[in-house]
Amino acid sequence: MKRFLVIAALVALPLPAFAQGGAQANAQMIDKGRALFNDKSLSGGAQVSCATCHPMNGHTDNKTYVGLDVVPDGDPRGRSTPTLWGAGTRQAEWSWAGNIPSIETNIRGIIVNRMKGVEPAKEALEALAAYVKSLPNGPAPFLSPDGMPRDNAPADVKRGYDLFAGKAGCMTCHVPASYDKKGPEDVGSGGAFKVPSLRNVSKTGPYFHDGRFKSLDEAVTFMWDFYKKKSDSKDTLGDADKRDIVAFLRAL
Ligand code: HEC
Ligand code: HEC
């Protein structure tokens, strides 16, 4: 009888209540993932947690690593820590190589290979993935949801956007709203790498897979020189143009 009542009650639930149940299960999963993200026992010898390298709720510690060792920025073996902010909104595949379609597979690799931890349970991977994908981008008050500058954005940000989308050719690879794209590209930086998202980019240096560039100015100059050559463009970008592009990047 009691069982029948429970079933009757479930059947009678209006749709929004079901949706709410789903949201609640997801919130529990995210909570579990957050706890695991801060749990050092995921690593061999309980040395580090995910949050050691991705502090401030999944951001970057701005360091370049081989395994668990910090190496000088620009070391070709090194990989700079990406921010996980906005991870759920990305178009690119995972890792700097940009060739891992599933985030669970990527996180498993990090636990087993980088952190030398034991094989994680499927549920743990799902919870970590749910947490990572729940992380919002940092604040971008001059950006509309589609990734374009708002009307109230400063003039240099708007000029920078026009160059970025226009003659500078950046948008052929960095596609809004996340400013990345599917599929790695070889831009002459030592192989094919993912087109990284440029959201939050003012806070994610050093730049490129190996952390070779300290400043956005250097990264923009490299990218423009590459694009100009590749597209055989007759256009030029002056110092003022590059400053405007950097102003736009800082607004992302
Ligand atoms: C020792 C520092 C370190 C630790 C600990 C660490 N990471 Fe990372 N993480 C990195 C580096 C460096 C990369 C880039 C590696 C690469 O792509 O080759 C990365 C990449 C990632 C990516 C891919 C992001 C993208 O946009 O492609 C995800 C997701 C991620 N880490 C999540 C985690 C999780 C979850 C944990 C804990 C289980 C963790 N990381 C622990 C340094 C670390
Ligand atoms: C052909 C595709 C392509 C074009 C065009 C392109 N980029 Fe990139 N961009 C990439 C790739 C791939 C990387 C990563 C390279 C690496 O890690 O070695 C990158 C990296 C960057 C980074 C560093 C981000 C980080 O987190 O390290 C910035 C900044 C950037 N691009 C800005 C620009 C700007 C500005 C333009 C236009 C002048 C541009 N890109 C044009 C593919 C492209």
Side-chain angles (χ1 to χ4, degrees):
M1 181 64 186
K2 211 167 172 188
R3 196 148 166 217
F4 169 76
L5 276 179
V6 170
I7 291 169
L10 276 175
V11 171
L13 277 178
L15 261 179
F18 274 121
Q20 232 169 40
Q24 215 166 42
N26 195 42
Q28 275 169 7
M29 180 98 121
I30 290 171
D31 280 349
K32 188 179 158 197
R34 183 184 297 109
L36 286 166
F37 197 85
N38 289 283
D39 186 347
K40 287 191 176 176
S41 70
L42 252 47
S43 66
Q47 291 185 56
V48 292
S49 72
C50 311
T52 305
C53 304
H54 300 283
M56 295 181 286
N57 303 314
H59 197 41
T60 165
D61 62 357
N62 306 99
K63 291 179 183 157
T64 305
Y65 286 93
V66 173
L68 294 179
D69 298 330
V70 176
V71 297
D73 297 337
D75 182 327
R77 298 167 309 143
R79 293 294 176 264
S80 88
T81 312
T83 185
L84 306 178
W85 288 0
T89 67
R90 302 287 183 252
Q91 308 172 64
E93 289 83 355
W94 304 96
S95 88
W96 273 111
N99 58 1
I100 304 181
S102 142
I103 187 171
E104 284 87 355
T105 308
N106 188 48
I107 294 176
R108 180 199 167 270
I110 292 171
I111 294 175
V112 174
N113 302 324
R114 189 180 292 278
M115 296 166 73
K116 308 289 179 217
V118 297
E119 185 66 42
K122 185 165 162 276
E123 293 71 28
L125 289 177
E126 280 167 5
L128 281 165
Y131 170 67
V132 169
K133 286 192 285 186
S134 78
L135 299 170
N137 280 305
F142 296 130
L143 216 61
S144 66
D146 62 7
M148 315 289 165
R150 287 186 196 277
D151 287 346
N152 69 347
D156 57 351
V157 170
K158 289 181 179 164
R159 285 195 306 267
Y161 171 79
D162 288 342
L163 290 163
F164 187 96
K167 71 174 178 182
C170 316
M171 223 184 252
T172 55
C173 287
H174 299 279
V175 184
S178 47
Y179 289 93
D180 59 351
K181 81 166 181 67
K182 266 199 188 315
E185 292 279 346
D186 187 342
V187 296
S189 61
F193 292 98
K194 86 142 104 196
V195 178
S197 168
L198 301 180
R199 295 299 309 274
N200 321 289
V201 77
S202 66
K203 302 181 188 71
T204 63
Y207 299 107
F208 278 46
H209 64 281
D210 53 5
R212 68 180 63 186
F213 296 129
K214 284 234 163 342
S215 70
L216 279 175
D217 309 60
E218 292 167 280
V220 169
T221 297
F222 179 96
M223 291 265 54
W224 165 246
D225 290 346
F226 162 78
Y227 180 76
K228 183 174 164 68
K229 213 167 148 194
K230 181 190 166 202
S231 64
D232 212 6
S233 168
K234 300 286 170 283
D235 285 320
T236 52
L237 284 189
D239 287 347
D241 292 333
K242 287 183 193 165
R243 273 199 300 277
D244 288 343
I245 292 179
V246 170
F248 166 64
L249 294 179
R250 289 190 185 287
L252 287 176

Short mmCIF file of all heavy atoms in Angstrom, two decimals, residues 80 96 163-164 168-174 181 183-198 201 204-210 212-213 215-216 219-227 230 237 245 249, ligand 2:
data_model
loop_
_atom_site.label_atom_id
_atom_site.label_comp_id
_atom_site.label_asym_id
_atom_site.label_seq_id
_atom_site.Cartn_x
_atom_site.Cartn_y
_atom_site.Cartn_z
N SER A 80 51.96 24.32 -19.77
CA SER A 80 51.48 25.32 -18.82
C SER A 80 50.07 24.96 -18.38
O SER A 80 49.29 24.40 -19.16
CB SER A 80 51.57 26.72 -19.43
OG SER A 80 50.41 27.01 -20.14
N TRP A 96 46.39 20.15 -24.22
CA TRP A 96 47.06 21.05 -25.15
C TRP A 96 47.19 20.41 -26.53
O TRP A 96 47.20 21.10 -27.55
CB TRP A 96 48.45 21.44 -24.63
CG TRP A 96 48.42 22.63 -23.73
CD1 TRP A 96 48.66 22.67 -22.39
CD2 TRP A 96 48.15 23.99 -24.12
NE1 TRP A 96 48.55 23.96 -21.92
CE2 TRP A 96 48.23 24.78 -22.96
CE3 TRP A 96 47.84 24.61 -25.33
CZ2 TRP A 96 48.03 26.17 -22.96
CZ3 TRP A 96 47.62 25.99 -25.34
CH2 TRP A 96 47.72 26.74 -24.17
N LEU A 163 39.42 44.46 -35.43
CA LEU A 163 40.66 43.95 -36.04
C LEU A 163 40.72 42.43 -35.92
O LEU A 163 41.06 41.72 -36.87
CB LEU A 163 41.88 44.57 -35.34
CG LEU A 163 42.11 46.06 -35.61
CD1 LEU A 163 43.06 46.65 -34.56
CD2 LEU A 163 42.70 46.25 -37.01
N PHE A 164 40.41 41.92 -34.71
CA PHE A 164 40.44 40.49 -34.41
C PHE A 164 39.54 39.72 -35.39
O PHE A 164 39.91 38.68 -35.93
CB PHE A 164 39.97 40.29 -32.96
CG PHE A 164 40.09 38.89 -32.43
CD1 PHE A 164 41.19 38.52 -31.68
CD2 PHE A 164 39.10 37.94 -32.65
CE1 PHE A 164 41.31 37.23 -31.16
CE2 PHE A 164 39.21 36.65 -32.14
CZ PHE A 164 40.31 36.30 -31.40
N ALA A 168 43.00 41.03 -39.04
CA ALA A 168 44.01 40.27 -38.30
C ALA A 168 43.78 38.76 -38.42
O ALA A 168 44.66 37.96 -38.10
CB ALA A 168 44.03 40.68 -36.83
N GLY A 169 42.57 38.34 -38.86
CA GLY A 169 42.33 36.93 -39.18
C GLY A 169 42.19 36.00 -37.99
O GLY A 169 42.07 34.78 -38.15
N CYS A 170 42.17 36.56 -36.77
CA CYS A 170 42.19 35.71 -35.55
C CYS A 170 40.95 34.82 -35.46
O CYS A 170 41.03 33.69 -34.95
CB CYS A 170 42.27 36.58 -34.31
SG CYS A 170 43.46 37.94 -34.43
N MET A 171 39.82 35.33 -35.97
CA MET A 171 38.58 34.60 -35.77
C MET A 171 38.45 33.38 -36.67
O MET A 171 37.52 32.58 -36.50
CB MET A 171 37.39 35.52 -35.95
CG MET A 171 36.34 35.28 -34.89
SD MET A 171 34.90 36.28 -35.17
CE MET A 171 35.08 37.46 -33.85
N THR A 172 39.39 33.21 -37.62
CA THR A 172 39.35 31.97 -38.39
C THR A 172 39.65 30.78 -37.48
O THR A 172 39.28 29.65 -37.79
CB THR A 172 40.38 31.99 -39.55
OG1 THR A 172 41.67 32.28 -39.01
CG2 THR A 172 40.03 33.04 -40.58
N CYS A 173 40.31 31.02 -36.33
CA CYS A 173 40.58 29.93 -35.39
C CYS A 173 39.91 30.15 -34.03
O CYS A 173 39.39 29.22 -33.44
CB CYS A 173 42.09 29.78 -35.17
SG CYS A 173 42.92 29.04 -36.59
N HIS A 174 39.98 31.36 -33.51
CA HIS A 174 39.42 31.63 -32.17
C HIS A 174 37.98 32.13 -32.36
O HIS A 174 37.75 33.30 -32.57
CB HIS A 174 40.26 32.67 -31.44
CG HIS A 174 41.68 32.24 -31.21
ND1 HIS A 174 42.03 31.40 -30.16
CD2 HIS A 174 42.83 32.51 -31.85
CE1 HIS A 174 43.35 31.19 -30.18
NE2 HIS A 174 43.86 31.86 -31.20
N LYS A 181 38.31 26.55 -31.01
CA LYS A 181 37.58 25.77 -32.02
C LYS A 181 38.00 24.32 -31.93
O LYS A 181 39.02 24.00 -31.32
CB LYS A 181 37.80 26.32 -33.43
CG LYS A 181 39.10 25.90 -34.10
CD LYS A 181 39.03 26.23 -35.59
CE LYS A 181 40.28 25.82 -36.33
NZ LYS A 181 40.47 24.34 -36.40
N GLY A 183 39.55 20.85 -33.12
CA GLY A 183 40.62 20.44 -34.02
C GLY A 183 41.89 21.24 -33.81
O GLY A 183 41.88 22.46 -33.79
N PRO A 184 43.03 20.53 -33.59
CA PRO A 184 44.31 21.20 -33.39
C PRO A 184 44.79 21.91 -34.67
O PRO A 184 44.35 21.57 -35.76
CB PRO A 184 45.26 20.06 -33.02
CG PRO A 184 44.44 18.82 -32.90
CD PRO A 184 43.14 19.07 -33.56
N GLU A 185 45.70 22.85 -34.51
CA GLU A 185 46.29 23.59 -35.64
C GLU A 185 47.79 23.69 -35.42
O GLU A 185 48.25 23.82 -34.28
CB GLU A 185 45.72 25.02 -35.70
CG GLU A 185 44.26 25.12 -36.06
CD GLU A 185 44.00 25.03 -37.56
OE1 GLU A 185 44.97 25.15 -38.35
OE2 GLU A 185 42.84 24.83 -37.94
N ASP A 186 48.53 23.66 -36.51
CA ASP A 186 49.98 23.87 -36.43
C ASP A 186 50.26 25.32 -36.80
O ASP A 186 50.11 25.71 -37.95
CB ASP A 186 50.70 22.91 -37.37
CG ASP A 186 52.22 22.97 -37.19
OD1 ASP A 186 52.71 23.97 -36.61
OD2 ASP A 186 52.91 22.03 -37.63
N VAL A 187 50.63 26.12 -35.81
CA VAL A 187 50.91 27.54 -36.08
C VAL A 187 52.42 27.80 -36.03
O VAL A 187 52.85 28.93 -35.83
CB VAL A 187 50.15 28.47 -35.09
CG1 VAL A 187 48.64 28.34 -35.28
CG2 VAL A 187 50.53 28.18 -33.63
N GLY A 188 53.20 26.73 -36.17
CA GLY A 188 54.65 26.90 -36.18
C GLY A 188 55.23 27.06 -34.78
O GLY A 188 56.28 27.66 -34.60
N SER A 189 54.53 26.49 -33.78
CA SER A 189 55.02 26.60 -32.41
C SER A 189 55.60 25.27 -31.92
O SER A 189 55.76 25.06 -30.73
CB SER A 189 53.88 27.05 -31.48
OG SER A 189 52.83 26.10 -31.49
N GLY A 190 55.90 24.35 -32.86
CA GLY A 190 56.53 23.10 -32.46
C GLY A 190 55.65 21.89 -32.63
O GLY A 190 55.91 20.84 -32.04
N GLY A 191 54.59 21.99 -33.41
CA GLY A 191 53.68 20.87 -33.64
C GLY A 191 52.25 21.36 -33.71
O GLY A 191 52.01 22.57 -33.72
N ALA A 192 51.31 20.41 -33.78
CA ALA A 192 49.89 20.79 -33.78
C ALA A 192 49.40 20.85 -32.35
O ALA A 192 49.61 19.91 -31.57
CB ALA A 192 49.09 19.78 -34.59
N PHE A 193 48.75 21.95 -32.00
CA PHE A 193 48.20 22.11 -30.65
C PHE A 193 46.78 22.62 -30.74
O PHE A 193 46.36 23.13 -31.77
CB PHE A 193 49.07 23.06 -29.83
CG PHE A 193 50.42 22.48 -29.53
CD1 PHE A 193 51.52 22.80 -30.30
CD2 PHE A 193 50.57 21.55 -28.51
CE1 PHE A 193 52.76 22.23 -30.06
CE2 PHE A 193 51.81 20.96 -28.27
CZ PHE A 193 52.91 21.30 -29.04
N LYS A 194 46.07 22.47 -29.62
CA LYS A 194 44.69 22.93 -29.61
C LYS A 194 44.65 24.43 -29.80
O LYS A 194 45.57 25.15 -29.39
CB LYS A 194 44.01 22.52 -28.31
CG LYS A 194 44.23 23.49 -27.20
CD LYS A 194 42.97 23.61 -26.37
CE LYS A 194 43.08 22.89 -25.08
NZ LYS A 194 41.81 22.66 -24.45
N VAL A 195 43.59 24.92 -30.40
CA VAL A 195 43.34 26.36 -30.42
C VAL A 195 42.72 26.68 -29.06
O VAL A 195 41.57 26.34 -28.81
CB VAL A 195 42.37 26.75 -31.57
CG1 VAL A 195 42.09 28.25 -31.53
CG2 VAL A 195 42.94 26.32 -32.91
N PRO A 196 43.51 27.30 -28.16
CA PRO A 196 42.99 27.46 -26.80
C PRO A 196 41.92 28.54 -26.75
O PRO A 196 41.94 29.48 -27.55
CB PRO A 196 44.23 27.87 -26.00
CG PRO A 196 45.14 28.51 -27.00
CD PRO A 196 44.86 27.87 -28.33
N SER A 197 41.00 28.39 -25.80
CA SER A 197 40.02 29.44 -25.56
C SER A 197 40.75 30.70 -25.11
O SER A 197 41.74 30.64 -24.39
CB SER A 197 39.06 28.99 -24.46
OG SER A 197 38.30 30.11 -24.04
N LEU A 198 40.23 31.86 -25.54
CA LEU A 198 40.84 33.12 -25.08
C LEU A 198 40.01 33.79 -23.99
O LEU A 198 40.34 34.90 -23.56
CB LEU A 198 41.04 34.07 -26.27
CG LEU A 198 41.92 33.52 -27.41
CD1 LEU A 198 42.06 34.53 -28.54
CD2 LEU A 198 43.30 33.10 -26.89
N VAL A 201 41.77 35.21 -20.71
CA VAL A 201 43.17 35.05 -21.13
C VAL A 201 44.13 36.04 -20.46
O VAL A 201 45.33 35.74 -20.33
CB VAL A 201 43.29 35.10 -22.68
CG1 VAL A 201 43.18 36.53 -23.21
CG2 VAL A 201 44.57 34.44 -23.15
N THR A 204 45.83 34.07 -17.62
CA THR A 204 46.25 32.68 -17.77
C THR A 204 47.71 32.52 -18.22
O THR A 204 48.13 31.41 -18.54
CB THR A 204 45.35 31.91 -18.77
OG1 THR A 204 45.49 32.53 -20.06
CG2 THR A 204 43.90 31.94 -18.36
N GLY A 205 48.48 33.62 -18.26
CA GLY A 205 49.86 33.51 -18.70
C GLY A 205 50.66 32.61 -17.77
O GLY A 205 50.21 32.33 -16.65
N PRO A 206 51.82 32.12 -18.18
CA PRO A 206 52.47 32.35 -19.47
C PRO A 206 51.73 31.61 -20.59
O PRO A 206 51.04 30.64 -20.33
CB PRO A 206 53.87 31.78 -19.26
CG PRO A 206 53.69 30.68 -18.27
CD PRO A 206 52.61 31.18 -17.34
N TYR A 207 51.92 32.09 -21.83
CA TYR A 207 51.09 31.66 -22.94
C TYR A 207 51.74 30.59 -23.82
O TYR A 207 52.95 30.42 -23.82
CB TYR A 207 50.70 32.89 -23.78
CG TYR A 207 49.92 33.86 -22.93
CD1 TYR A 207 50.49 35.04 -22.48
CD2 TYR A 207 48.64 33.53 -22.48
CE1 TYR A 207 49.78 35.91 -21.65
CE2 TYR A 207 47.93 34.38 -21.65
CZ TYR A 207 48.50 35.56 -21.24
OH TYR A 207 47.82 36.40 -20.41
N PHE A 208 50.88 29.91 -24.58
CA PHE A 208 51.18 28.79 -25.46
C PHE A 208 51.42 27.52 -24.63
O PHE A 208 51.58 27.57 -23.41
CB PHE A 208 52.37 29.08 -26.39
CG PHE A 208 51.96 29.89 -27.61
CD1 PHE A 208 51.15 31.00 -27.49
CD2 PHE A 208 52.38 29.53 -28.87
CE1 PHE A 208 50.76 31.73 -28.60
CE2 PHE A 208 51.99 30.26 -29.99
CZ PHE A 208 51.19 31.36 -29.86
N HIS A 209 51.41 26.36 -25.32
CA HIS A 209 51.42 25.07 -24.61
C HIS A 209 52.58 24.96 -23.62
O HIS A 209 52.45 24.37 -22.55
CB HIS A 209 51.48 23.92 -25.62
CG HIS A 209 52.74 23.88 -26.43
ND1 HIS A 209 52.97 24.69 -27.51
CD2 HIS A 209 53.87 23.15 -26.26
CE1 HIS A 209 54.17 24.44 -28.00
NE2 HIS A 209 54.75 23.51 -27.26
N ASP A 210 53.73 25.57 -24.00
CA ASP A 210 54.93 25.45 -23.17
C ASP A 210 55.21 26.70 -22.35
O ASP A 210 56.28 26.81 -21.74
CB ASP A 210 56.14 25.11 -24.05
CG ASP A 210 56.29 26.10 -25.21
OD1 ASP A 210 55.52 27.09 -25.27
OD2 ASP A 210 57.16 25.88 -26.07
N ARG A 212 55.82 29.75 -23.34
CA ARG A 212 57.00 30.47 -23.88
C ARG A 212 56.86 31.98 -23.84
O ARG A 212 57.87 32.68 -23.89
CB ARG A 212 57.27 30.01 -25.31
CG ARG A 212 56.19 30.45 -26.28
CD ARG A 212 56.47 29.99 -27.69
NE ARG A 212 56.47 28.53 -27.80
CZ ARG A 212 56.80 27.88 -28.90
NH1 ARG A 212 57.17 28.54 -29.98
NH2 ARG A 212 56.76 26.57 -28.94
N PHE A 213 55.62 32.50 -23.85
CA PHE A 213 55.43 33.95 -23.88
C PHE A 213 54.89 34.47 -22.55
O PHE A 213 53.87 33.99 -22.06
CB PHE A 213 54.45 34.35 -25.00
CG PHE A 213 54.95 34.03 -26.38
CD1 PHE A 213 54.16 33.32 -27.26
CD2 PHE A 213 56.21 34.45 -26.80
CE1 PHE A 213 54.61 33.02 -28.54
CE2 PHE A 213 56.67 34.16 -28.07
CZ PHE A 213 55.87 33.44 -28.95
N SER A 215 53.91 37.71 -22.06
CA SER A 215 52.89 38.75 -22.20
C SER A 215 51.96 38.48 -23.38
O SER A 215 52.33 37.76 -24.34
CB SER A 215 53.56 40.11 -22.42
OG SER A 215 54.17 40.14 -23.70
N LEU A 216 50.78 39.07 -23.31
CA LEU A 216 49.84 38.98 -24.42
C LEU A 216 50.39 39.66 -25.66
O LEU A 216 50.15 39.20 -26.78
CB LEU A 216 48.50 39.61 -24.02
CG LEU A 216 47.57 38.71 -23.20
CD1 LEU A 216 46.34 39.48 -22.76
CD2 LEU A 216 47.18 37.47 -24.00
N ALA A 219 52.40 37.20 -27.54
CA ALA A 219 51.55 36.16 -28.15
C ALA A 219 50.84 36.72 -29.39
O ALA A 219 50.77 36.05 -30.42
CB ALA A 219 50.54 35.64 -27.14
N VAL A 220 50.33 37.95 -29.28
CA VAL A 220 49.60 38.56 -30.40
C VAL A 220 50.55 38.78 -31.58
O VAL A 220 50.21 38.49 -32.73
CB VAL A 220 48.93 39.89 -29.97
CG1 VAL A 220 48.41 40.66 -31.18
CG2 VAL A 220 47.81 39.61 -28.98
N THR A 221 51.76 39.27 -31.31
CA THR A 221 52.74 39.50 -32.38
C THR A 221 53.07 38.19 -33.10
O THR A 221 53.08 38.12 -34.33
CB THR A 221 54.02 40.15 -31.82
OG1 THR A 221 53.65 41.43 -31.30
CG2 THR A 221 55.08 40.33 -32.88
N PHE A 222 53.29 37.12 -32.33
CA PHE A 222 53.59 35.81 -32.93
C PHE A 222 52.43 35.35 -33.82
O PHE A 222 52.64 34.91 -34.95
CB PHE A 222 53.86 34.78 -31.83
CG PHE A 222 54.16 33.39 -32.37
CD1 PHE A 222 55.48 32.97 -32.53
CD2 PHE A 222 53.13 32.52 -32.71
CE1 PHE A 222 55.75 31.70 -33.04
CE2 PHE A 222 53.40 31.26 -33.23
CZ PHE A 222 54.71 30.84 -33.38
N MET A 223 51.20 35.47 -33.28
CA MET A 223 50.03 34.97 -34.01
C MET A 223 49.83 35.75 -35.29
O MET A 223 49.50 35.18 -36.33
CB MET A 223 48.78 35.06 -33.12
CG MET A 223 48.79 34.11 -31.96
SD MET A 223 47.94 32.51 -32.19
CE MET A 223 48.65 31.83 -33.61
N TRP A 224 49.99 37.10 -35.21
CA TRP A 224 49.80 37.92 -36.41
C TRP A 224 50.87 37.58 -37.46
O TRP A 224 50.55 37.41 -38.64
CB TRP A 224 49.83 39.41 -36.06
CG TRP A 224 50.01 40.26 -37.30
CD1 TRP A 224 51.07 41.04 -37.60
CD2 TRP A 224 49.10 40.38 -38.42
NE1 TRP A 224 50.90 41.64 -38.83
CE2 TRP A 224 49.69 41.24 -39.35
CE3 TRP A 224 47.86 39.81 -38.72
CZ2 TRP A 224 49.09 41.57 -40.57
CZ3 TRP A 224 47.25 40.13 -39.94
CH2 TRP A 224 47.86 41.01 -40.83
N ASP A 225 52.13 37.45 -37.04
CA ASP A 225 53.19 37.12 -38.00
C ASP A 225 52.87 35.79 -38.69
O ASP A 225 53.07 35.64 -39.90
CB ASP A 225 54.56 37.04 -37.30
CG ASP A 225 55.04 38.40 -36.84
OD1 ASP A 225 54.46 39.42 -37.29
OD2 ASP A 225 55.98 38.47 -36.01
N PHE A 226 52.37 34.83 -37.90
CA PHE A 226 52.00 33.53 -38.48
C PHE A 226 50.87 33.69 -39.50
O PHE A 226 50.96 33.20 -40.63
CB PHE A 226 51.57 32.55 -37.38
CG PHE A 226 50.79 31.38 -37.92
CD1 PHE A 226 51.46 30.33 -38.55
CD2 PHE A 226 49.41 31.35 -37.85
CE1 PHE A 226 50.74 29.26 -39.09
CE2 PHE A 226 48.69 30.29 -38.39
CZ PHE A 226 49.36 29.25 -39.01
N TYR A 227 49.81 34.40 -39.08
CA TYR A 227 48.63 34.52 -39.96
C TYR A 227 48.96 35.28 -41.24
O TYR A 227 48.53 34.91 -42.33
CB TYR A 227 47.48 35.21 -39.23
CG TYR A 227 46.27 35.34 -40.11
CD1 TYR A 227 45.45 34.24 -40.37
CD2 TYR A 227 45.96 36.56 -40.73
CE1 TYR A 227 44.35 34.35 -41.21
CE2 TYR A 227 44.87 36.67 -41.58
CZ TYR A 227 44.07 35.56 -41.81
OH TYR A 227 42.99 35.66 -42.65
N LYS A 230 50.86 32.95 -43.50
CA LYS A 230 50.03 31.83 -43.97
C LYS A 230 49.01 32.29 -45.01
O LYS A 230 48.76 31.60 -46.00
CB LYS A 230 49.30 31.23 -42.76
CG LYS A 230 48.42 30.05 -43.12
CD LYS A 230 47.53 29.65 -41.96
CE LYS A 230 46.43 28.71 -42.45
NZ LYS A 230 45.27 28.66 -41.60
N LEU A 237 49.71 45.33 -39.35
CA LEU A 237 49.17 45.74 -38.04
C LEU A 237 50.24 46.60 -37.38
O LEU A 237 51.35 46.13 -37.15
CB LEU A 237 48.90 44.53 -37.15
CG LEU A 237 47.68 43.65 -37.38
CD1 LEU A 237 47.54 42.66 -36.22
CD2 LEU A 237 46.41 44.47 -37.54
N ILE A 245 44.08 45.19 -30.00
CA ILE A 245 43.75 43.76 -29.91
C ILE A 245 43.99 43.26 -28.48
O ILE A 245 43.17 42.52 -27.93
CB ILE A 245 44.57 42.94 -30.94
CG1 ILE A 245 44.10 43.29 -32.36
CG2 ILE A 245 44.42 41.44 -30.69
CD1 ILE A 245 44.85 42.56 -33.47
N LEU A 249 41.44 41.50 -25.90
CA LEU A 249 41.71 40.22 -25.22
C LEU A 249 41.52 40.37 -23.70
O LEU A 249 41.03 39.46 -23.04
CB LEU A 249 43.12 39.72 -25.53
CG LEU A 249 43.40 39.33 -26.98
CD1 LEU A 249 44.85 38.89 -27.15
CD2 LEU A 249 42.46 38.22 -27.45
C1 HEC B 2 45.43 28.92 -37.63
C2 HEC B 2 44.73 29.10 -36.37
C3 HEC B 2 45.03 30.33 -35.54
C4 HEC B 2 44.94 31.67 -35.89
C5 HEC B 2 44.58 32.26 -37.25
C6 HEC B 2 45.23 32.42 -34.69
N1 HEC B 2 45.49 31.58 -33.64
FE1 HEC B 2 45.94 32.14 -31.76
N2 HEC B 2 46.40 30.22 -31.29
C7 HEC B 2 46.29 29.13 -32.15
C8 HEC B 2 46.91 27.97 -31.55
C9 HEC B 2 46.99 26.58 -32.16
C10 HEC B 2 47.43 28.40 -30.31
C11 HEC B 2 48.21 27.55 -29.32
C12 HEC B 2 49.66 27.37 -29.80
C13 HEC B 2 50.53 26.63 -28.82
O1 HEC B 2 50.09 26.38 -27.71
O2 HEC B 2 51.67 26.33 -29.17
C14 HEC B 2 47.07 29.81 -30.17
C15 HEC B 2 47.35 30.59 -29.05
C16 HEC B 2 46.98 31.92 -28.90
C17 HEC B 2 47.16 32.69 -27.68
C18 HEC B 2 47.71 32.16 -26.37
C19 HEC B 2 46.59 31.64 -25.50
C20 HEC B 2 47.04 30.83 -24.32
O3 HEC B 2 46.22 30.58 -23.43
O4 HEC B 2 48.21 30.43 -24.24
C21 HEC B 2 46.70 33.95 -27.93
C22 HEC B 2 46.66 35.13 -26.97
C23 HEC B 2 46.23 33.96 -29.31
N3 HEC B 2 46.40 32.71 -29.86
C24 HEC B 2 45.71 35.07 -29.96
C25 HEC B 2 45.53 35.13 -31.33
C26 HEC B 2 45.34 36.35 -32.08
C27 HEC B 2 45.27 37.75 -31.46
C28 HEC B 2 45.23 36.01 -33.39
C29 HEC B 2 45.11 36.92 -34.60
C30 HEC B 2 46.24 37.85 -34.80
C31 HEC B 2 45.32 34.55 -33.46
N4 HEC B 2 45.53 34.06 -32.20
C32 HEC B 2 45.23 33.81 -34.64
C33 HEC B 2 45.66 29.14 -33.38
C34 HEC B 2 45.41 30.30 -34.13
#
